[in-house]
Amino acid sequence: MSNPIKIQRALISVSDKTGVADLCRALRQFGVEILSTGGTAKLLAAEGVPVREVSDYTGFPEMMDGRLKTLHPKIHGGILGRRGVDEAAMDAHGIDPIDLVVVNLYPFEQTVADPACTLQHAIENIDIGGPTMVRAAAKNHDAVAIVVDPADYPALLAEMQAGQGALSAATRFNLAVKAFQHTGHYDSAIAAYLGRTTRFPEQLNLSFRLAQAMRYGENPHQQAAFYVEGGAPAGSIAAARQLQGKELSYNNIADADAALECVKAFPECPACVIVKHANPCGIGLGADLLEAYNKAYATDPTSAFGGIIAFNRPLDAATAQAIVGRQFVEVIIAPAIAQDALAALAAKQNVRVLECGQWPAEQEDALDFKRVNGGLLVQERDDGFVRREDIRVVSRRQPRPEELEDLWFAWRAAKFVKSNAIVYAKNQQTIGVGAGQMSRVYSAKIAALKAGDEGLPVAGSVMASDAFFPFRDGIDSAAAVGIVAVIQPGGSVRDEEVIAAADEHGMSMVFTGMRHFRH
């Protein structure tokens, strides 16, 4: 790689004009000639910055409503010409070297984010000349610097100031890497938009931005980082703002996401979810957040130690005070954090407090991804929702109104528990949670064991299962501990046997017709 290159000629063509006039004034102080196009050239001229229009330099006018501006040999030859190799060809054709290219692209993502955007309008906002110049300059970074981000202007000028108008090889290389990442993201956004009518395209292009480098991953020997997608929606872990506490860890982010997505399932009243190792260990609904938190905590105080707590309403001071006075907590996340709540949490400065914003009532469709060795499993996010009127009673005994309320609560809770999942619930509170067992019967036994350990009476509770019961033994064991009603998808070849077991025990049973495996 070559030595520092003194910048003598720059091509400036930007859609985002933030800071560009100040940049060009500073470049002129280093004696840099400025070439520019269209709106950028007009802006610079209006700001009193000497500038030469690209069309004057090439002798070829802009045309086709701006579609053709910089696609000319005098531009691309000046960018791509190899110093010490191509001078003869450049001289023969009157091509001057260009040492610095400052380009950012038409705002395609912002354009198509507008619901009123038409396909034709989107097409006109696909930049052609910009990416071509960016890629050319990045390819020839041995002799050319490429800048695609206005945030890099200050560092660029500082280095030129220190280096008498020159930029180092290392800086040019780093800028080139960023430029290729920029065009890669841009092309991915276009491909995703144009291919949006196909749920699973032939080529899957994903683009995420580094949000945080982490000390380690799931375990200390694993390196890790957190990436976010462009335009992460409000009410997501990716859009959350940290108000206090230690740096978020890999496991913190994963568990906070699990807790937040779970608490969204209970919009009808204040709700609290406590998560440990990706599973809810307590869920409660209440007249206010404090009641909801007390219910969630009471389910399993042992597992709640060091857990993640999510709320679906702005966190208030009384609830915050109860948390810090009662337990060790890693993360608290809510749509908003009241100032007096934040003051109460300040007593525990290491607690990570996240404000995620209010999520919309209806979430947009999204895909879930699971990495496998050599590939990627892709599926629609499990947004499946069963309406109360779609629940089918299959037992002789009809569930009582309060049982039906608890069944509805338990069913939504079970969706967020790792399979095989069993949830016992009563009075809008989880009584016991059995998660992640290979046998559904053992998940039920664990739910009963946890309830017993915490002194929570199972008798009179309801049970939810994320998938059907393949045998009657799960129903028999539930009846033995006092379960009075069961909600499950149904669909087993032994459904009649399972329903008969419920009838024998005087239990009510309802089918949802929808499974919620979670692995």
Side-chain angles (χ1 to χ4, degrees):
M1 191 173 286
S2 67
N3 293 322
I5 295 291
K6 184 174 175 62
I7 306 302
Q8 300 181 71
R9 184 172 294 101
L11 175 58
I12 316 290
S13 181
V14 294
S15 176
D16 178 358
K17 295 176 174 56
T18 303
V20 71
D22 290 337
L23 170 70
C24 291
R25 284 193 194 95
L27 290 175
R28 287 294 301 162
Q29 291 177 359
F30 291 109
V32 177
E33 180 186 1
I34 306 292
L35 301 176
S36 191
T37 62
T40 307
K42 288 186 176 74
L43 171 68
L44 294 178
E47 291 284 338
V49 180
V51 59
R52 187 177 184 187
E53 286 257 17
V54 162
S55 57
D56 292 337
Y57 170 66
T58 62
F60 211 83
E62 291 186 16
M63 61 176 62
M64 303 178 186
D65 295 325
R67 282 191 170 200
L68 200 60
K69 299 177 183 176
T70 57
L71 297 172
H72 192 281
K74 290 190 73 171
I75 297 299
H76 288 279
I79 297 172
L80 285 167
R82 295 163 293 179
R83 288 15 171 201
V85 176
D86 294 324
E87 277 82 0
M90 294 170 73
D91 289 344
H93 296 281
I95 297 173
D96 295 324
I98 296 172
D99 315 298
L100 172 65
V101 176
V102 180
V103 170
N104 51 62
L105 311 177
Y106 295 168
F108 183 82
E109 287 177 290
Q110 295 94 312
T111 298
V112 299
D114 182 352
C117 178
T118 65
L119 176 60
Q120 185 57 40
H121 186 54
I123 293 294
E124 289 305 317
N125 276 272
I126 297 176
D127 203 327
I128 301 301
T132 307
M133 289 189 290
V134 170
R135 290 175 60 84
K139 175 176 180 175
N140 201 27
H141 64 267
D142 192 53
V144 180
I146 170 63
V147 180
V148 295
D149 185 353
D152 290 327
Y153 296 169
L156 176 89
L157 294 173
E159 182 170 332
M160 290 180 66
Q161 183 67 46
Q164 298 181 320
L167 293 175
S168 69
T171 292
R172 299 194 308 274
F173 178 80
N174 291 334
L175 289 170
V177 172
K178 186 171 185 176
F180 279 124
Q181 291 169 342
H182 185 61
T183 56
H185 174 82
Y186 194 76
D187 287 341
S188 293
I190 295 168
Y193 174 77
L194 295 179
R196 69 195 187 284
T197 55
T198 302
R199 176 54 97 183
F200 302 110
E202 288 294 321
Q203 181 76 29
L204 181 63
N205 297 296
L206 303 175
S207 182
F208 293 80
R209 174 181 57 80
L210 178 66
Q212 178 186 336
M214 296 174 167
R215 285 190 300 148
Y216 56 83
E218 203 162 9
N219 299 292
H221 63 274
Q222 295 172 271
Q223 294 184 357
F226 180 41
Y227 287 82
V228 299
E229 57 189 342
S236 68
I237 185 64
R241 185 167 62 99
Q242 185 168 353
L243 304 182
Q244 78 160 48
K246 296 192 294 186
E247 182 179 75
L248 288 161
S249 73
Y250 181 98
N251 293 329
N252 288 157
I253 291 174
D255 283 352
D257 178 65
L260 182 60
E261 294 308 305
C262 180
V263 84
K264 292 177 183 178
F266 305 95
E268 67 270 23
C269 65
C272 174
V273 173
I274 305 176
V275 161
K276 189 72 170 288
H277 294 301
N279 276 301
C281 58
I283 304 174
L285 307 186
D288 53 35
L289 285 190
L290 182 56
E291 182 186 1
Y293 165 66
N294 286 334
K295 284 182 172 181
Y297 180 81
T299 302
D300 189 354
T302 303
S303 297
F305 180 86
I308 311 295
I309 305 177
F311 296 99
N312 67 348
R313 302 286 194 276
L315 181 62
D316 59 85
T319 307
Q321 189 60 58
I323 294 169
V324 298
R326 174 184 285 167
Q327 71 168 107
F328 167 58
V329 57
E330 288 277 357
V331 179
I332 298 172
I333 186 167
I337 311 291
Q339 283 302 310
D340 52 357
L342 194 59
L345 295 171
K348 302 287 186 180
Q349 274 297 309
N350 286 338
V351 175
R352 302 157 178 91
V353 180
L354 303 180
E355 189 175 71
C356 66
Q358 187 58 57
W359 48 87
E362 298 289 334
Q363 294 196 82
E364 292 185 6
D365 292 344
L367 297 176
D368 278 340
F369 306 94
K370 187 184 291 289
R371 190 80 166 89
V372 296
N373 197 353
L376 193 69
L377 285 168
V378 182
Q379 66 174 350
E380 294 178 338
R381 184 174 60 198
D382 185 4
D383 290 329
F385 183 78
V386 177
R387 297 175 302 174
R388 294 192 195 203
E389 54 267 34
D390 294 330
I391 292 174
R392 182 165 60 96
V393 179
V394 295
S395 58
R396 285 198 295 263
R397 184 174 81 77
Q398 293 284 321
R400 292 186 287 271
E402 65 273 17
E403 291 173 353
L404 197 57
E405 288 298 314
D406 283 337
L407 288 168
W408 182 240
F409 166 81
W411 173 248
R412 288 176 289 167
K415 175 181 175 178
F416 294 92
V417 178
K418 298 287 187 182
S419 300
N420 286 309
I422 294 291
V423 172
Y424 291 171
K426 188 176 183 180
N427 297 328
Q428 307 294 281
Q429 173 190 7
T430 47
I431 299 299
V433 178
Q437 298 303 301
M438 292 71 74
S439 162
R440 195 161 298 279
V441 173
Y442 273 86
S443 288
K445 288 180 178 179
I446 289 171
L449 177 65
K450 283 183 170 290
D453 286 349
E454 303 306 335
L456 297 174
V458 174
S461 298
V462 305
M463 177 174 71
S465 173
D466 65 333
F468 63 66
F469 288 94
F471 303 99
R472 65 171 289 159
D473 54 358
I475 306 304
D476 293 332
S477 63
V481 295
I483 293 295
V484 297
V486 178
I487 186 169
Q488 57 135 325
S492 167
V493 295
R494 292 186 176 85
D495 273 350
E496 290 186 8
E497 174 187 321
V498 173
I499 295 168
D503 287 338
E504 287 176 24
H505 295 297
M507 303 164 71
S508 65
M509 179 174 285
V510 301
F511 281 4
T512 66
M514 181 178 291
R515 188 181 74 184
H516 284 302
F517 270 169
R518 190 177 185 88
H519 294 108

